[in-house]
Amino acid sequence: MNVCSDTKASMARKTGSHADITGPAIRAAALRLFARSGYAAVSMRQIAAEVGVRAGALYLYTPDKQTLLFDLMHDHMTALLAAWEAVEKGTTPEAHLQAFVTFHIDFHIDRPDAVFLAYMELRNLTPENFAVVEGLRRQYENQLQSILALGQKTGAFEIDDVRVTTMALIAMLAGIHVWYRDEGRLSRDRIQTIYRELVRRTVSL
Amino acid sequence: MNVCSDTKASMARKTGSHADITGPAIRAAALRLFARSGYAAVSMRQIAAEVGVRAGALYLYTPDKQTLLFDLMHDHMTALLAAWEAVEKGTTPEAHLQAFVTFHIDFHIDRPDAVFLAYMELRNLTPENFAVVEGLRRQYENQLQSILALGQKTGAFEIDDVRVTTMALIAMLAGIHVWYRDEGRLSRDRIQTIYRELVRRTVSL
DNA sequence: TTTGTATCTGAACAAACGTTCATTTCAATC
DNA sequence: GATTGAAATGAACGTTTGTTCAGATACAAA
């Protein structure tokens, strides 16, 4: 991670230096290709070709292919948690839950490739890397679970099993990426309205 | 498909003939390994080793690796549609929907590997094979969509967008495989009860 | 015991894989 | 114009890949 972040400490980069361009370009290409064809099916040579560089050059920016995958997933999950942290959540459990749905759809619709990667390539991580990403994913689930648990305690929600309902709602929301298209029949606002209502119903009698 | 199905037409198989054993064994091993590690990450030699045979022997039972994957997915989807066809569905839209939920959970809990494969390896199919499997998947979705559409028309359900609700429910149900464990906290009956209620709520005001 | 056939092996194939590294390139600095 | 150092090349490495096929093996029929 952060292969070329010493822009401040070292002498300033001059025009003509490509490191600040190539690094992100590699990550962007890897994200696209991994999401499209799967980690195991994409070769380092393909990623390099997409960037307009030879395979060997990739190793100036990542120690190996596995780390490249891990960084993409890790950064996505970290950004997801940070973005949710920054959201205005309202005061009541009802508002809190609605905010979660709205936020989730916004964040995920803007990053289809990263979303795809983050939950399709878990099994291609090494055990250590898997544990890290899985921990972040669990943290995100827990955000929703806490909302449901609080709402249940205060009587705002009527929930049988909080854990199962959490997983059911996460799955329902995550499923959007399967059919969503940018130029599709439904606008983002419309989708958010529909899902806010679907979610509201699952926690109400 | 059906590499060794001429049992009736040709001379009867005698004891000592292994074709009737090796064929299914290969498919079972491929299913397990593909589900666990992903199509691209599993080699023909690994599958062969699992069966207790050398890689070359696999080609007595499948023309190539791609067909092996396709057959597994195709057979799963076909079995799914056939099993749903045979279900007693009740008379009202409400009963119909409850039957769908119950059936779906039963069928999918019993076949975790095939379920995993059928919706994680779609992108590793050739375009032609993808079209076939995708068509079957669409047929299954349409079963649920028809239930919702009928219930909406008769006034039994209160649904905003039938298509979106269909996809949301499918995703919710499919998500069970992410967390379900055979010896987990919840029995199958309990899970079915919880999900029947969750689904009922999403189609009721 | 010999023949015939279904089943599987073992070696080989070209191609592709992730990764390394000595060498080249070239703009920025002195 | 010479020097420097980051950036990228291109060839090479040892493996592994999917697939083929002539030959070995084992068993049923004769």
Side-chain angles (χ1 to χ4, degrees):
Chain A
M1 237 171 320
N2 246 341
V3 177
C4 48
S5 66
D6 50 348
T7 357
K8 258 226 182 88
S10 72
M11 284 185 292
R13 302 272 184 205
K14 301 298 149 56
T15 64
S17 177
H18 291 170
D20 296 349
I21 298 171
T22 307
I26 288 171
R27 296 164 57 90
L31 180 60
R32 254 180 37 110
L33 291 173
F34 286 164
R36 180 158 311 178
S37 311
Y39 172 75
V42 173
S43 72
M44 295 300 266
R45 285 172 179 82
Q46 284 176 52
I47 299 170
E50 187 94 348
V51 177
V53 105
R54 304 289 160 148
L58 301 187
Y59 293 86
L60 268 345
Y61 302 94
T62 186
D64 47 41
K65 191 187 179 190
Q66 165 71 206
T67 305
L68 187 51
L69 173 65
F70 171 70
D71 285 349
L72 291 171
M73 299 178 71
H74 177 267
D75 290 0
H76 170 70
M77 292 307 301
T78 299
L80 174 66
L81 288 167
W84 169 241
E85 200 79 33
V87 165
E88 192 65 48
K89 299 177 179 75
T91 53
T92 68
E94 288 93 337
H96 210 144
L97 183 57
Q98 301 284 301
F100 185 88
V101 173
T102 305
F103 161 78
H104 180 99
I105 293 176
D106 267 332
F107 193 88
H108 285 66
I109 271 186
D110 287 333
R111 296 162 180 80
D113 286 342
V115 168
F116 209 66
L117 207 71
Y119 99 112
M120 290 282 280
E121 299 297 348
L122 283 167
R123 60 180 169 187
N124 285 117
L125 293 171
T126 61
E128 303 81 28
N129 289 341
F130 174 81
V132 173
V133 175
E134 179 69 6
L136 294 169
R137 211 173 60 91
R138 186 63 74 104
Q139 274 188 50
Y140 186 64
E141 289 170 13
N142 286 344
Q143 299 294 315
L144 176 56
Q145 187 161 338
S146 299
I147 299 172
L148 299 186
L150 181 64
Q152 185 187 45
K153 206 172 66 173
T154 67
F157 302 151
E158 192 64 45
I159 296 171
D160 184 346
D161 189 293
V162 169
R163 178 69 188 151
V164 171
T165 303
T166 299
M167 298 308 286
L169 293 185
I170 289 273
M172 204 172 92
L173 290 169
I176 295 176
H177 87 101
V178 171
W179 53 266
Y180 177 81
R181 297 291 172 269
D182 263 337
E183 307 297 334
R185 177 171 64 91
L186 302 167
S187 72
R188 174 185 304 217
D189 269 355
R190 178 88 175 96
I191 292 171
Q192 286 171 324
T193 301
I194 294 175
Y195 270 84
R196 274 192 297 261
E197 171 64 8
L198 285 173
V199 170
R200 191 197 60 76
R201 288 184 181 185
T202 62
V203 297
S204 313
L205 267 183
Chain B
M1 238 171 322
N2 247 342
V3 178
C4 49
S5 67
D6 52 346
T7 0
K8 259 229 182 85
S10 71
M11 284 184 291
R13 303 273 183 204
K14 299 300 150 56
T15 63
S17 178
H18 290 170
D20 296 349
I21 297 171
T22 307
I26 287 172
R27 296 163 58 89
L31 179 61
R32 255 180 36 112
L33 291 174
F34 285 164
R36 181 156 313 177
S37 311
Y39 173 74
V42 173
S43 72
M44 295 299 267
R45 284 170 179 81
Q46 285 176 51
I47 298 170
E50 187 93 348
V51 178
V53 105
R54 304 289 161 152
L58 302 186
Y59 292 85
L60 269 342
Y61 303 94
T62 186
D64 47 40
K65 193 188 178 189
Q66 165 72 206
T67 305
L68 187 51
L69 173 66
F70 172 71
D71 285 349
L72 290 171
M73 298 178 71
H74 178 266
D75 290 2
H76 170 70
M77 292 307 300
T78 300
L80 173 66
L81 287 166
W84 169 240
E85 200 79 34
V87 165
E88 193 65 48
K89 298 177 180 76
T91 54
T92 69
E94 289 93 337
H96 210 145
L97 182 57
Q98 300 286 299
F100 185 88
V101 174
T102 306
F103 161 78
H104 181 99
I105 293 175
D106 267 333
F107 193 88
H108 284 65
I109 271 185
D110 286 334
R111 296 163 181 80
D113 286 342
V115 168
F116 208 67
L117 208 70
Y119 99 112
M120 288 283 282
E121 300 297 348
L122 283 167
R123 62 182 167 185
N124 285 117
L125 292 170
T126 61
E128 303 80 29
N129 289 340
F130 174 82
V132 174
V133 175
E134 179 69 6
L136 294 169
R137 211 173 61 92
R138 187 63 74 105
Q139 275 188 49
Y140 186 65
E141 288 171 13
N142 286 345
Q143 298 295 314
L144 175 57
Q145 187 161 339
S146 300
I147 299 172
L148 297 186
L150 181 64
Q152 184 187 46
K153 205 171 68 173
T154 67
F157 303 150
E158 192 63 44
I159 297 171
D160 184 345
D161 189 292
V162 169
R163 179 68 188 152
V164 171
T165 304
T166 299
M167 297 310 284
L169 293 186
I170 288 273
M172 203 172 93
L173 290 168
I176 296 176
H177 86 102
V178 172
W179 53 266
Y180 177 80
R181 296 293 172 265
D182 263 337
E183 306 298 332
R185 176 171 64 92
L186 302 167
S187 72
R188 173 185 306 217
D189 268 356
R190 178 89 175 93
I191 292 172
Q192 286 172 323
T193 301
I194 295 174
Y195 271 84
R196 274 192 298 261
E197 171 64 9
L198 285 173
V199 170
R200 191 197 61 74
R201 288 184 180 184
T202 61
V203 296
S204 314
L205 269 183

